[in-house]
Structure formats: structure tokens, C-alpha cells
Amino acid sequence: MFHPRRTSRALLLPLVAGLALTALPAQTAQAASTLTNGGFESDGTGTATPTGWSTYSAAGQNAASFTEAGGHGGSYRLSHWSSSAYKVETYQYLSGLTNGNYKLTAWVRSGGGQNSAYIALKNCGGTEQRTDLPVSSSGWIHIVVPVSVTNNQCTISINSDANAGNWINVDDLTFTSGTTSTSIHGADISSLAKSEAKGGVYKWSSGSTGDAISILDNAGMNYARLKVWVNPADGYNNKTRVLAMAKRVKAAGMKLLVDFHYSDTWADPGAQSKPSAWSGHTYSQLTTDVYNHTYDVLNALKAQGTTADMVQVGNEINGGMLWNEGSTSNWSQLAGLLNSGYNAVKAVNSSTTVALHLAKGGDLSGTRTWFDNAVAGGVKFDAIGLSYYGYWHGSLYDFQTTLDDAASRYGKPVFVAETAYPFRLDSDDSLTNQIDTTGELVSGYPASAAGQLAWMNAVTNIVEAVPNGRGLGVFYWEATWTAVTGNGWDPTDATSGNGWENQALFGYDDKALSSMAWFSHR
């Protein structure tokens, strides 16, 4: 990162020791009803207070905010950086606004490590709205901040509370009428029934024992994802168990996503084995099997008053499903199986959303190739779900690029079907965790409850920023899969362990983690 020599500017506000940067900034002479110099192109490099903007720090550190070459769209950008710890705010006050909903968009990068780094809309008459800057040291990330203006004014605030050498880049801000949000703040809780049966306990953050669904609901979770296996060896995640859990989910006021694996065990990009009951069936028989199984489960859910709101026809089907008949080496057959599932969903309830789900959320070319084939093959679907695990599936920039492209290229709403992050690295049982070393973590996101929360907010912010309001939201994967003897990964082996307990949303003391706060993301 290039740092031109900078000269300190006279402070615009009186310095008060310890004054928080959230204090109401002075109304500057540049106040207007439209954003000025959102691309920071007016002043060249080395300007601590760009045209239209004001700079404030509590300790004479205005020079930590400056313009420099290397913009996202144009030639220049705003940066925050200093060789020593600093707190600085670059802000612009807007007045004479018509009351209503507005949204700020910005392109940002950050090397991470700050105590906080965010863009906020404040003093707008209601609750201050913030979006934390995701850690992305190379690719620019598009973020949004929505706000309701009720007093004809608003302050756009770019904030850093940073350690020595921490940096952010911000560019191409716009402030326009409109709003953004995510409607899905969900979690997969497929492990819960078996955990409870094997003695698993869930606690409120206070330490008192409670119902896991109630705890998650209280944190803001509004959508549950449940997987369905056909005839699993352990008798869990089958039709009967899903029906029982669906009653609890709907009683809590949550919506329901049913995730069909079309297998007796895990289906993912590396395994799509047919259920044993379908093992010798022809392709034609398999299309009937898919229809009947899908219809049977969903119709039973409907009959008990817990109609599915969304359905996945297949789970992480990058390579197809029901191998080998339904592999991507035979797209016409895969299309037939997928449409059989789609038709069954709609036969039960025409308003249930049908999603197709791929893994590798940062794989732009792979996602394009798959859905191009699906569209060419006449596959019917309503939404696109992607798994995105940052330690496996590419950078946040790769993820945003893929997600935005899928939404625009296919004209469908998109969501994160699975993501998760560790709150610690050591194991709570004898099985080594999937992610258990610092080298496996995403840079800038530590294995802590705070790191877990920051990761979830970053992913959700990217979904919220999908153009044209096509970002639906996020499902956290296996929020309740704590280490409980007998509830391991292998349905055929009661002694198998859990390599995921360090990515649950309940700690090793069974208490709800503070990272559950992500459910309350706007």
C-alpha cells in the first residue's frame, strides 16, 4: 500500500480527551442534500480532508485519513492508515433531505486487525446503522448501509479505531433513495433431535438450561433448515423425525427449509449415493422415486400444518445426484430428476420456493457452467443456494463475485445455504475438528466468538448488497451440533465423533455464544 507524505490539517472540532467518535459532528459549510465527492477524485493525493468531507480525531490524528492513488472506479480513493495506533472519522453531513428510506453503497477493502472499522449512517433521526468493513486485502467488496431518515438530515461516517499499521480503503460512495435488508436469518439444526435424545443440553447465555429452538429464536433466528435422508441407519433425519422437528420450528414462528439429500447418508460434491431402497432402479424408476419421496414428505408436513416454505431439490449437487444416473455427465437425466423433484414440490404447495444448491460459493466459472447447463436443459427452479465456507471456497471477493453474477445472470434470488466459522480450535471430543489450526482460518477472522460474529456479519453484508434486492439471506450450518456422545457424523457408527462442535453456536459449556447476535442483522 502506497502512503504519500502527508501534512496534518487544522482540527475541525475541539479536541476532548477520550471523546468518542460517535459524537455528533459539527454541521460543516459543505452541508448539502446530495453526496459530494463520493469517489474522492477532487483533490488528488495526500489530502486529509477531501472536498465535501470533514475529518475528526480525538488525538490530533487527522493525517491518518487521506486520499491516495489506486481507486476502485476512478484514480483515487480514501484511506485510513498510520504507523501508530489511531482513531479517525471521515464524515459528510447532509441536510435538506426528504424524509424516507435511503441507502449508502460503497466499495471497500481492509487489511483487518482494527478494534473497529465501519461505515455508518447516523444522526438521521432514528437508530444509527453500521456496516463493518469485511477483511479483504486485495479485491474490492461492495457493501450497503440502509437507514430511515426522519429529521431531514443524515451524517455519512467512515470510522477506524485501529492499531499501528492497520488500513482501510473506501471509494465510490453513493447515497440514494431505497432500502436493503435480508429476510433469511437461518440455521441448519438437523443434528438437534439426536443430540437431545443422547443427552445434549442447551443453555441460555446466563447459564440456565433451555430449549435450543427458543434460544435461537430469541437471538433472532427466523428460518430453520432440516435435511431429509430416505432410510438412514440411525433413524434420524428421516421423514418421521423431520415431521416432529417441523412442529417445533413452526411453533416458534420460524419458516422451514427442507433439504432433500436423496440418499441414506451425506450427499455432497464428493458423494451422491442412491438410497439402498432405490439401488437397482432404472433412470425412469428413479424419476418416480424422487417425485414420490419428495411429495410424501412434503404432503405429510402440509397435512400436519407445517408446510415447507422452501425446498432444496438435492444437496450440494455440483456433480449431480443419484449417481451414476443423475451425474452431470448426463445432463438430460439430471434435468429430468431435478424437474421431477420440482414438480412434486409444486404439487403439494405451489408457493413453496424451490432452490438448487451448489457448494464452492467462490467458484465463478464452475457455478456458471452448472447453471448454464441447467437452464439449457430446461431445469425449473426459483432460487439459487450456495455453500460458502471461507476456509475452503475462496475469498470474500470471490464469493461476492460469484453470488452477484448468479443473481444477475439467471435473474433469481440467491442465498447462502451453508456457512460456518470456528469459535475455538481445540476439540470437545476425541475426533479432530475439521478446522483446527490457525493456518486454516480466514485471514482477519480469529477463532473466537468475536471472530465468528465478524465472519457471519461479513457474509451477510455481502448477501445484503446483491443488486436489485436479490439477496435473500444466510443459513448457518449446524448451529446445534455440539459434542454429544452418540451423535457423531456417521449414522452407521454410534462411536463416531463430531468434527464440527467448534463451529456450533453453543460453547463447550453448552451456553449460547455471543456470536448469535448475527441473527439480528437487518
Side-chain angles (χ1 to χ4, degrees):
M1 190 183 166
F2 172 65
H3 304 296
R5 190 168 72 86
R6 301 178 295 282
T7 56
S8 60
R9 298 298 180 102
L11 295 179
L12 296 173
L13 295 174
L15 294 181
V16 179
L19 183 64
L21 294 184
T22 54
L24 179 68
Q27 298 181 8
T28 69
Q30 292 95 351
S33 60
T34 56
L35 179 64
T36 300
N37 194 23
F40 304 100
E41 296 297 306
S42 300
D43 309 285
T45 63
T47 301
T49 306
T51 298
W53 295 86
S54 301
T55 308
Y56 174 63
S57 70
Q61 298 169 317
N62 282 26
S65 171
F66 55 94
T67 55
E68 64 178 344
H72 165 262
S75 299
Y76 305 102
R77 68 194 183 207
L78 177 76
S79 294
H80 286 178
W81 175 86
S82 178
S83 59
S84 57
Y86 63 94
K87 293 183 181 181
V88 69
E89 176 185 23
T90 309
Y91 66 91
Q92 186 167 153
Y93 169 76
L94 301 179
S95 63
L97 295 172
T98 300
N99 287 339
N101 293 322
Y102 291 83
K103 62 178 179 179
L104 180 79
T105 69
W107 290 88
V108 302
R109 296 190 299 197
S110 171
Q114 300 91 346
N115 299 315
S116 63
Y118 60 89
I119 297 180
L121 296 175
K122 61 184 186 178
N123 310 322
C124 310
T127 303
E128 175 178 330
Q129 295 295 321
R130 294 186 182 184
T131 298
D132 293 331
L133 270 61
V135 180
S136 177
S137 59
S138 54
W140 290 90
I141 301 291
H142 179 220
I143 62 172
V144 298
V145 192
V147 76
S148 176
V149 173
T150 60
N151 62 352
N152 305 112
Q153 64 184 27
C154 197
T155 299
I156 298 165
S157 171
I158 304 167
N159 262 273
S160 291
D161 178 356
N163 300 298
N166 294 162
W167 61 270
I168 65 169
N169 301 147
V170 179
D171 202 4
D172 293 339
L173 289 89
T174 68
F175 185 77
T176 58
S177 295
T179 189
T180 65
S181 65
T182 48
S183 59
I184 295 174
H185 308 142
D188 192 304
I189 54 171
S190 298
S191 63
L192 180 58
K194 189 173 180 180
S195 176
E196 292 172 333
K198 301 296 182 181
V201 173
Y202 299 89
K203 298 180 179 179
W204 298 88
S205 57
S206 64
S208 59
T209 300
D211 175 77
I213 292 177
S214 296
I215 295 169
L216 291 162
D217 174 53
N218 184 71
M221 177 175 156
N222 65 7
Y223 222 124
R225 180 178 186 255
L226 299 174
K227 69 171 173 275
V228 185
W229 288 338
V230 177
N231 187 26
D234 63 357
Y236 287 87
N237 299 297
N238 60 10
K239 173 187 170 183
T240 300
R241 302 286 186 177
V242 168
L243 286 168
M245 188 59 70
K247 287 184 178 179
R248 294 172 59 186
V249 165
K250 291 284 190 170
M254 296 182 186
K255 290 187 175 182
L256 174 65
L257 165 58
V258 178
D259 172 20
F260 285 94
H261 284 228
Y262 302 111
S263 180
D264 292 334
T265 188
W266 301 99
D268 56 45
Q272 295 282 340
S273 56
K274 289 192 285 287
S276 58
W278 307 356
S279 61
H281 290 191
T282 64
Y283 164 69
S284 178
Q285 288 173 311
L286 289 171
T287 60
T288 302
D289 292 332
V290 168
Y291 187 96
N292 289 344
H293 171 61
T294 305
Y295 186 94
D296 179 50
V297 173
L298 297 179
N299 195 51
L301 284 166
K302 180 181 179 180
Q304 70 172 15
T306 60
T307 301
D309 299 282
M310 188 187 296
V311 168
Q312 283 179 217
V313 177
N315 186 77
E316 295 190 332
I317 52 177
N318 299 61
M321 65 186 197
L322 294 167
W323 289 346
N324 289 316
E325 287 80 359
S327 84
T328 49
S329 62
N330 190 332
W331 255 103
S332 64
Q333 291 194 171
L334 175 57
L337 293 167
L338 293 172
N339 281 339
S340 187
Y342 178 96
N343 292 337
V345 176
K346 297 299 185 177
V348 173
N349 182 46
S350 61
S351 62
T352 295
T353 299
V354 177
L356 297 179
H357 171 211
L358 300 188
K360 304 179 182 179
D363 180 6
L364 175 63
S365 62
T367 302
R368 270 188 176 181
T369 297
W370 199 96
F371 277 100
D372 282 356
N373 279 318
V375 171
V379 176
K380 295 177 285 187
F381 62 100
D382 304 320
I384 293 172
L386 298 177
S387 293
Y388 175 60
Y389 297 100
Y391 37 72
W392 292 330
H393 296 155
S395 69
L396 287 166
Y397 171 80
D398 295 331
F399 166 56
Q400 182 167 68
T401 302
T402 305
L403 193 70
D404 288 357
D405 182 78
S408 62
R409 189 176 181 90
Y410 308 107
K412 301 289 187 181
V414 294
F415 65 98
V416 176
E418 297 180 18
T419 190
Y421 205 75
F423 63 89
R424 59 194 293 171
L425 293 173
D426 60 316
S427 296
D428 196 27
D429 64 9
S430 60
L431 185 64
T432 300
N433 290 332
Q434 290 277 339
I435 303 298
D436 68 337
T437 66
T438 55
E440 293 172 299
L441 298 173
V442 179
S443 177
Y445 295 91
S448 63
Q452 195 178 43
L453 175 59
W455 175 256
M456 290 307 300
N457 283 338
V459 171
T460 310
N461 288 336
I462 285 174
V463 178
E464 184 183 19
V466 172
N468 300 310
R470 290 195 175 116
L472 295 178
V474 179
F475 288 93
Y476 194 90
W477 195 70
E478 284 292 10
T480 58
W481 201 10
T482 53
V484 176
T485 301
N487 191 20
W489 69 273
D490 187 351
T492 69
D493 180 3
T495 68
S496 64
N498 174 7
W500 206 262
E501 75 271 14
N502 66 323
Q503 300 193 62
L505 294 181
F506 291 86
Y508 289 3
D509 58 2
D510 300 322
K511 294 180 184 177
L513 293 170
S514 57
S515 48
M516 280 191 194
W518 89 265
F519 284 120
S520 296
H521 191 284
R522 52 177 180 267

